[in-house]
Every structure is written in C-alpha cells, then in structure tokens.
Amino acid sequence: MNAVNADLHCHSTASDGTLAPAAVVRRAHANGVDLLALTDHDELLGLPEAAATAAELGLRFVPGVEVSVSWLDQTVHIVGLGVDPSNAALIAGLDQVRSGRDGRAAKIAAELDRIGIHGALEGALRYVGNPALISRAHFARFLVEAGCAKNVHDVFLHYLARGKPGYVEHVWATLEDAVGWIKGAGGLAVIAHPGRYRLSHVEMDILFDKFRELGGDAVEVACGAHDGGQVLAFARMARKFGLMASRASDFHGPEDSPIDLGRAPPLPPDLTPVWSRLI
C-alpha cells in the first residue's frame, strides 16, 4: 500500500496554483502519480475539470479541498480528501471563508503602498485565475516580478509573513467548522504541512489532540514543506495520536514549489497511509 505514488495535496488556477486543473492532472500523470487529489484553497471549482482529465488518462482521482483555519494566533490548513463537491454545507462554508479575501487583499496592497511598493493589488490580480480567491501567493508573484525579491519564498520571508510589512491578520474558519464540513461531506480530514506552523511542542500537541477529538483522520507526514527530520517528527505525532499518514507535494506550479507532483518522500512503512481509506 505504501508503494502507491500518492499525491494528496496540490493546487490549480482555481485557487493560487499556476496551472489549470487539467494541466495539473496531466503533469501528475506524466510524473508517475498513481493517486491524485486536487485540493484548492477554500474552493471546489477545479474539481470537475480535474476529474474528467483524470478519467481520460486512467489516473485515480480524489476530490479534495484545503480549508483555511484560524487557530490560536495563526492560520493552519486542513485538507479534505474524498469530499462530495455537491454537499450544501461544505459549499456554504467555503463561500463564507472566501468572502473575506477581497477585503484582506485591499489591506495588503495598502500596507505595501505604505512602504513604497505601489500598484500591488492590480499587479497581484494579473496572476489570479479565480477572482474570488486572490491570495498572498498572487501578491508574492507580483513582488518577484517587480524585483522586490528573487523568489516567492523570499517574498513571504520579508513581506507577507507575520510581523512583516505586508502581513494582514484575517479570521478564517474554526477548526471545528473545517473538520465538520469535511466529515459532513463524506471526506477524511488531514492536518496539512504541520512543519510550517510556528507552534510550540505544547501548542502542537493541543492542535493534534483537538483535531483528533473532532474526528480528524490524518496528518501530512511526507510533504514538500518537510525535511527529513520533520518527516520523522510528524511520523511520531501520527503514532502518538493514532492518525493515518498522508503524502503530498503541495504543488502550486513549476516555479513556485519546492518539489514536483509525485516527488514527496515515502512514508515510514509502519504508518497507515490515508489512501488505504480512499482506494
């Protein structure tokens, strides 16, 4: 089961990816992916195109989503795998989460303007495939184009992370809502890239404990954001909290992602892969 080349977290132009849903699926297939989930941020619009392309190629496809959650004083992400895209409560919940993005984008642009970076909103919008989902990634691509940083990673470090001049606080879904929407839509809930969160060991334990209490199913152990030490660390967390393990690239585009589709490291063999519940 661990031999399956599963990639269960990636993005398209339906949110902040640079490739259309069909192009993401074709690239995954060319890379030897056996099982793919498209998990756009707070959005389901790319799923029909991705599913149709996967069916044409004979690639097993999982409908997914990545829900933005406010936890303590930061944003965490919960991936939903195997969700029903027609579920009314999930659709309404995601619409509610998306509704604040326009206001946040205007505030980010105002903050950047204040430090002498002008026209950021208009610049970011040139990179937006779905106007309802303008994000920090779109601003990051504009700032690279404008010569403010050499790549998207550096933009986040210097402009868009907490405490930096372009960071704007925003309230997303609650953890309870996100897990509830996913489970109510028949999906499996997964903590995405936990190594990215600035949480103490105690705070991380609290997050995992609450997630499991709410019915959460799995954690991304092997992903594009984790180095070898983090893979081992979150394998231990999966064991400690009785969670399944997921594997994913978190691919956003050829120029924006640390690893390509299907290139995440393998899971430790003793863990139960989340795809055992998907195939």
Side-chain angles (χ1 to χ4, degrees):
M1 185 64 73
N2 268 338
V4 173
N5 187 355
D7 195 327
L8 299 178
H9 177 178
C10 66
H11 301 273
S12 75
T13 50
S15 62
D16 60 348
T18 62
L19 301 181
V24 172
V25 174
R26 292 191 192 101
R27 188 180 183 95
H29 183 260
N31 283 0
V33 173
D34 301 311
L35 181 69
L36 179 72
L38 181 66
T39 57
D40 277 308
H41 290 284
D42 308 313
E43 182 60 271
L44 304 167
L45 285 178
L47 295 179
E49 179 183 321
T53 305
E56 290 171 10
L57 296 172
L59 172 61
R60 286 179 291 187
F61 180 75
V62 176
V65 68
E66 184 175 16
V67 185
S68 305
V69 167
S70 293
W71 173 260
L72 300 180
D73 63 345
Q74 63 182 282
T75 300
V76 303
H77 293 118
I78 304 297
V79 164
L81 298 174
V83 297
D84 174 4
S86 67
N87 181 270
L90 176 63
I91 291 169
L94 296 177
D95 183 64
Q96 174 187 326
V97 175
R98 291 195 304 270
S99 65
R101 284 185 178 267
D102 285 347
R104 184 182 72 152
K107 291 176 182 176
I108 290 173
E111 288 298 307
L112 293 172
D113 188 74
R114 187 172 56 81
I115 62 168
I117 301 174
H118 308 301
L121 181 58
E122 295 77 10
L125 285 169
R126 293 201 300 271
Y127 290 92
V128 174
N130 178 356
L133 269 162
I134 185 169
S135 74
R136 290 185 300 165
H138 300 119
F139 281 95
R141 290 170 194 148
F142 163 71
L143 290 171
V144 172
E145 172 198 307
C148 299
K150 62 181 180 180
N151 56 43
V152 167
H153 177 71
D154 278 358
V155 172
F156 275 88
L157 285 178
H158 299 292
Y159 293 99
L160 299 177
R162 180 178 298 278
K164 302 303 179 181
Y167 180 81
V168 172
E169 189 70 61
H170 187 74
V171 178
W172 303 106
T174 65
L175 184 64
E176 290 84 350
D177 281 342
V179 175
W181 296 334
I182 290 166
K183 302 293 285 184
L188 302 174
V190 184
I191 298 176
H193 43 60
R196 285 177 45 183
Y197 309 137
R198 296 181 178 178
L199 295 172
S200 69
H201 292 304
V202 171
E203 290 168 336
M204 191 71 76
D205 274 4
I206 292 171
L207 170 62
F208 273 66
D209 189 52
K210 184 64 174 178
F211 175 74
R212 188 65 179 129
E213 177 187 315
L214 292 168
D217 300 284
V219 55
E220 280 182 7
V221 170
C223 68
H226 290 174
D227 59 28
Q230 289 172 316
V231 170
L232 295 176
F234 289 107
R236 288 193 293 271
M237 293 291 280
R239 297 181 193 106
K240 178 177 179 179
F241 289 93
L243 297 171
M244 292 180 289
S246 191
R247 176 179 184 263
S249 62
D250 192 14
F251 179 82
H252 284 74
E255 307 300 325
D256 287 1
S257 302
I259 62 172
D260 206 341
L261 290 156
R263 301 292 192 255
L267 294 177
D270 66 302
L271 299 181
T272 302
V274 69
W275 55 87
S276 65
R277 297 269 301 277
L278 296 170
I279 59 176

